[in-house]
Amino acid sequence: MNTTALPVILPAAYLIAVAAAVSPKLAAAYLAAGAISFFLYRRDKTAAVRQQRRIPENALHTADLLGGWVGAWAARHRYRHKTAKTSFITVFWLSVAGNAALTYGIWRLTRI
């Protein structure tokens, strides 16, 4: 196993484990959203390298806000994509905080 991936994999695995302890549905939602976001970031990186049409940053941030930030975080590190642009990184972390707030609010209301 590549040890450079551990700083990304271990926190993501921890988050999924915590989500599973709270609710299997929540863990499944994070896994699905994370996978979608991972592939969006990978696709955007591929388009950037090939100088093709890119995925809008707003779409990436929306995916992050809806729970895909775990996959986005992994993809950003795996593909070294969107790791230098300060404005993007700032909005990324704001979307992580927003997702945490949304998840907590939904959990409090529904106890999923």
Side-chain angles (χ1 to χ4, degrees):
M1 175 180 225
N2 184 349
T3 57
T4 60
L6 288 179
V8 174
I9 292 171
L10 291 179
Y14 177 77
L15 173 71
I16 300 302
V18 168
V22 171
S23 166
K25 291 178 185 177
L26 181 59
Y30 267 114
L31 282 171
I36 290 167
S37 196
F38 184 91
F39 289 112
L40 286 173
Y41 276 75
R42 185 177 80 175
R43 183 175 176 191
D44 188 53
K45 175 64 175 191
T46 301
V49 169
R50 294 180 181 168
Q51 297 183 341
Q52 295 174 339
R53 185 175 175 154
R54 307 278 303 277
I55 295 174
E57 287 186 358
N58 285 341
L60 296 174
H61 291 310
T62 300
D64 301 339
L65 181 64
L66 295 176
W69 65 268
V70 176
W73 184 37
R76 286 180 58 231
H77 290 279
R78 169 67 176 91
Y79 299 110
R80 297 179 189 217
H81 188 51
K82 301 287 189 182
T83 57
K85 188 175 177 184
T86 305
S87 61
F88 185 90
I89 294 167
T90 300
V91 176
F92 171 78
W93 286 111
L94 287 172
S95 69
V96 172
N99 174 257
L102 283 171
T103 301
Y104 178 75
I106 291 169
W107 176 76
R108 292 281 297 171
L109 290 173
T110 63
R111 303 289 181 171
I112 54 174

